[in-house]
Amino acid sequence: MDEEFVDEDGWMGRHRGGDEEQEGPEHIENPQEVLNECLEKFSTSDYIMEPGIFTQLKRYFQAGGTPEQVINLLSHNYTAVAQMTNLIAEWLITAGVKVVDVQAMVENHLKDMILRTFDPKKADTIFTEEGETPAWLTEMIEHHTWRSLIYRLAEEYPDCLMLNFTIKLISDAGFQSEITSISTAAQQIEVFSRVLKTAITKFLTNPDDVQNSILECAKMVCHGQHTYVYSQVLIQVLSQETKGGFNMKRLSQEITKYALQINQNVTPITMALNGSAGYPQACEALTSMLSRNALNPADINVLYRNYSAVDSPPIDLIRNPQFLDLLVDSLFKAGVKINQEHKSKYIYLLAYAASVCETLTKKGGQMKRMINKDELKNTTQAIEKVHAICNINKGSTELIADLQVLYNCIRYPVVGVGVIRWVENTVTEPSYFKLSTDSCPPHLALLDEVATVHSSLHPQILRLLIRLFESKQDELEILVQLEMRKMLLDRMVNLLTRGCVVPVVKYIKQCCQRGDTDISLIRYFVTEVLETITHPYSPEFVQLFLPMVENEEITGSMRGEGDQDPVSEFIGEFIISNI
């Protein structure tokens, strides 16, 4: 038996390579110490099942250990825990428990044990003893159960080398989409790059779920300063591409917006990436306001002088989401006071950022910026007119006289954004619906017009309608509350007819599944939609809407004896289209 182990040079090589205490060829271990150490390990329960058993047997026999002693120790301390687990599992299956359930039972118990007893230092010795990637680790990451275990451990022990290496193995195996929230990925640029690529691809290829894609990507990018800088530089380069560049620019802005929401000061990084260094005055004024998250007349005056000059700075400098939000709030929130001397400058900067178009052309071998200001004057006038209306607290009756002006100006996208902000600020006042007597208040009717003209603003409108639909209106009588929510559902149906189909239906389906919405409201929505839509229907719409139509509790009272009712017609059209 001694000869069998001595002749296996592979084990000898692995042992020498992994022994941290071995300093060179002259180092010789004390045989008695080796024997004592090995015998102590052999005396533990089920040591014969340990991965390092062969390495320890090698050391034991080289130190002069006897086969009889090691055989007695290993066999005497063999309690067969793993084999007993397999036996009990077989009994459960024989008793009628499903194989999948038994497997999940064993795996979950094992996961809990590992989470309770995991030792990162011992885990790191796996590579010391093995000298290479263990075969069992490669097999382990092929199963989702064990990958999820690695993710949890990696979050808890970010400095464990074994876990960091395993995360890389998981990424190499093509499962990087699972590790978007893992802090360990952010410590390895190769893994993080793959994860970032997956997140960006998801953003570009899922237009119906773009908000969730942006949020997922932003959380990952904002993990740390190094991940933020690396990602934003990469996205900045991609935004220069002709195809898809504007999408990448939007992603960059959304990430910046999320960073500000979680109180991360990313203004210096943003200013460094937007090319503002060549325009120090404008850069200093904008940085000052962004850092304080507040506008001030002195800095606005500096920006106005720069952007009203012949050689104005690049427009991207003031197309900063944070800066534009501050301008919109200052001009469209009722009751906000702006110094009359500077008000025109606020309006000019917002109109400039929203309407001026810049293009690069090559003249005389040099790139030159061409500025198109054709829409600037009209946009400025539209903002001025709507600002004059929004800045005064007007009731529903007074507002009717201004509706025509508002409808004419809403065609400008920046005014549409401002009107949404103004309506939100107005209708979320606690007493608004208590004082309103209209079946559809003029403020909310304006949202219908914005939805008709600007499809890109649909998500903002839907978020506001959902907020109102879920708001507590305890001061109103129950029947009045129901009528108010029906009116809001009408606004959602209008949004649906303008192209915002999947998000609206998905939200109502969630309300139905949660069971916290009056069933009469779900029925009202389904009835309105059935009277509005016609075939052909997209597969995603059918998947969301059909379960509600087939729900007897929702549509039972809507069905007739024949097939002429809307419910039967919809189901019939669906069946025909799938034949």
Side-chain angles (χ1 to χ4, degrees):
M1 193 167 187
D2 288 59
E3 184 178 350
E4 177 185 349
F5 280 94
V6 171
D7 289 343
E8 292 187 30
D9 294 333
W11 288 109
M12 179 78 79
R14 277 195 289 273
H15 175 64
R16 281 201 300 262
D19 192 344
E20 295 180 356
E21 296 180 359
Q22 190 165 318
E23 299 176 355
E26 295 180 359
H27 176 80
I28 299 175
E29 291 184 295
N30 185 311
Q32 190 57 47
E33 290 181 0
V34 171
L35 287 174
N36 293 338
E37 181 185 337
C38 290
L39 290 173
E40 184 180 351
K41 291 181 177 181
F42 296 153
S43 300
T44 58
S45 297
D46 273 344
Y47 190 78
I48 196 171
M49 303 295 294
E50 293 292 333
I53 178 66
F54 293 110
T55 302
Q56 298 305 321
L57 286 172
K58 173 71 175 178
R59 295 179 64 218
Y60 176 75
F61 288 122
Q62 284 182 334
T66 59
E68 293 79 8
Q69 189 175 12
V70 70
I71 291 172
N72 288 334
L73 282 174
L74 290 175
S75 58
H76 180 73
N77 291 288
Y78 177 59
T79 55
V81 172
Q83 286 69 24
M84 288 298 295
T85 302
N86 289 334
L87 180 60
I88 293 173
E90 289 178 8
W91 286 353
L92 287 171
I93 294 170
T94 304
V97 182
K98 293 181 180 179
V99 176
V100 178
D101 293 339
V102 174
Q103 183 176 346
M105 205 183 303
V106 174
E107 289 177 349
N108 290 334
H109 182 69
L110 190 54
K111 276 177 64 175
D112 292 339
M113 288 180 62
I114 294 173
L115 288 169
R116 285 198 308 269
T117 61
F118 184 80
D119 185 339
K121 292 182 179 179
K122 288 184 178 179
D124 287 343
T125 61
I126 290 174
F127 296 101
T128 304
E129 294 182 358
E130 295 279 348
E132 59 186 15
T133 305
W136 58 265
L137 187 59
T138 306
E139 294 177 11
M140 186 177 177
I141 64 173
E142 292 297 322
H143 301 278
H144 181 268
T145 301
W146 305 122
R147 291 198 303 274
S148 65
L149 172 65
I150 296 296
Y151 303 150
R152 288 184 62 181
L153 290 172
E155 288 284 355
E156 194 170 344
Y157 305 101
D159 298 325
C160 178
L161 297 178
M162 178 264 184
L163 293 174
N164 287 338
F165 179 76
T166 307
I167 289 290
K168 185 176 183 305
L169 286 182
I170 291 173
S171 175
D172 291 341
F175 300 109
Q176 63 268 16
S177 60
E178 295 179 353
I179 55 177
T180 51
S181 62
I182 303 304
S183 58
T184 307
Q187 300 175 14
Q188 304 180 66
I189 189 168
E190 185 178 347
V191 176
F192 184 78
S193 297
R194 289 194 187 120
V195 172
L196 180 63
K197 177 185 175 184
T198 302
I200 292 175
T201 302
K202 184 177 179 181
F203 162 73
L204 294 173
T205 56
N206 289 274
D208 290 332
D209 197 25
V210 68
Q211 291 302 321
N212 285 333
S213 300
I214 288 173
L215 182 60
E216 183 179 308
C217 188
K219 284 181 178 179
M220 179 186 63
V221 169
C222 295
H223 170 77
Q225 193 175 57
H226 63 299
T227 58
Y228 185 86
V229 173
Y230 173 77
S231 303
Q232 286 286 44
V233 169
L234 180 61
I235 294 172
Q236 177 79 5
V237 172
L238 292 175
S239 70
Q240 307 303 316
E241 296 290 328
T242 306
K243 185 177 181 182
F246 286 107
N247 286 329
M248 298 309 297
K249 186 168 292 187
R250 183 200 170 181
L251 178 61
S252 174
Q253 292 175 344
E254 293 282 0
I255 291 172
T256 302
K257 190 174 179 180
Y258 176 80
L260 294 170
Q261 288 172 356
I262 59 173
N263 299 319
Q264 299 296 324
N265 181 19
V266 295
T267 300
I269 299 171
T270 303
M271 300 303 290
L273 292 175
N274 65 7
S276 61
Y279 304 87
Q281 284 188 347
C283 177
E284 184 178 351
L286 190 58
T287 302
S288 172
M289 290 186 285
L290 295 181
S291 297
R292 296 197 308 271
N293 197 32
L295 303 179
N296 71 77
D299 291 322
I300 288 290
N301 195 44
V302 172
L303 287 178
Y304 175 76
R305 284 203 314 269
N306 276 265
Y307 279 94
S308 56
V310 176
D311 185 21
S312 59
I315 195 170
D316 281 349
L317 187 59
I318 56 172
R319 278 185 176 163
N320 179 290
Q322 184 185 2
F323 179 61
L324 295 178
D325 272 347
L326 291 172
L327 282 175
V328 169
D329 279 346
S330 66
L331 292 170
F332 291 99
K333 273 192 174 182
V336 176
K337 301 298 181 184
I338 302 177
N339 189 307
Q340 290 298 314
E341 182 184 346
H342 298 98
K343 183 171 69 175
S344 61
K345 298 172 183 177
Y346 284 68
I347 293 173
Y348 176 85
L349 287 172
L350 181 58
Y352 192 100
S355 64
V356 173
C357 180
E358 284 185 355
T359 54
L360 290 174
T361 57
K362 198 170 185 179
K363 283 189 176 182
Q366 291 184 340
M367 299 302 292
K368 188 175 181 180
R369 280 191 301 124
M370 302 297 293
I371 302 176
N372 184 338
K373 298 183 179 180
D374 292 348
E375 290 289 323
L376 179 57
K377 182 179 179 181
N378 291 336
T379 305
T380 302
Q381 291 175 348
I383 294 174
E384 286 175 345
K385 291 177 183 177
V386 177
H387 165 71
I389 297 171
C390 297
N391 201 238
I392 302 173
N393 285 308
K394 291 189 176 184
S396 296
T397 306
E398 299 171 293
L399 186 61
I400 292 175
D402 298 314
L403 285 180
Q404 191 57 52
V405 175
L406 289 167
Y407 282 168
N408 291 337
C409 295
I410 276 174
R411 67 186 182 88
Y412 295 95
V414 65
V415 175
V417 172
V419 166
I420 293 174
R421 193 71 56 87
W422 170 57
V423 170
E424 180 178 11
N425 189 47
T426 303
V427 301
T428 52
E429 284 291 325
S431 61
Y432 179 80
F433 288 103
K434 183 180 179 181
L435 300 175
S436 176
T437 57
D438 300 294
S439 57
C440 176
H443 293 91
L444 293 174
L446 286 171
L447 294 182
D448 290 350
E449 183 64 18
V450 177
T452 302
V453 181
H454 304 296
S455 59
S456 61
L457 298 180
H458 286 174
Q460 291 187 38
I461 297 172
L462 180 59
R463 282 198 295 272
L464 174 55
L465 293 175
I466 290 173
R467 180 181 172 187
L468 293 173
F469 188 79
E470 295 180 351
S471 64
K472 301 286 186 183
Q473 300 291 337
D474 296 333
E475 294 183 357
L476 301 179
E477 295 180 3
I478 298 298
L479 292 178
V480 178
Q481 290 185 38
L482 284 174
E483 289 303 314
M484 183 207 81
R485 290 187 168 85
K486 284 182 180 179
M487 179 272 296
L488 293 171
L489 288 175
D490 286 335
R491 310 280 69 75
M492 291 187 193
V493 172
N494 176 73
L495 203 56
L496 180 145
T497 63
R498 302 305 174 188
C500 187
V501 179
V502 171
V504 170
V505 179
K506 185 179 289 185
Y507 170 69
I508 299 300
K509 184 180 180 182
Q510 289 172 355
C511 291
C512 186
Q513 291 173 336
R514 291 199 305 260
D516 58 358
T517 304
D518 193 298
I519 197 69
S520 66
L521 293 174
I522 305 293
R523 186 180 301 113
Y524 180 81
F525 174 82
V526 171
T527 303
E528 292 295 304
V529 172
L530 287 174
E531 292 177 355
T532 304
I533 61 174
T534 185
H535 61 85
Y537 310 115
S538 70
E540 190 170 8
F541 170 74
V542 171
Q543 183 182 7
L544 292 168
F545 193 59
L546 186 60
M548 289 189 287
V549 176
E550 292 180 328
N551 189 323
E552 190 71 25
E553 188 179 3
I554 296 173
T555 61
S557 60
M558 298 161 55
R559 300 173 188 261
E561 293 183 2
D563 295 331
Q564 302 305 311
D565 60 273
V567 175
S568 301
E569 288 178 3
F570 175 79
I571 296 174
E573 288 168 356
F574 166 69
I575 293 172
I576 292 172
S577 64
N578 282 274
I579 293 178

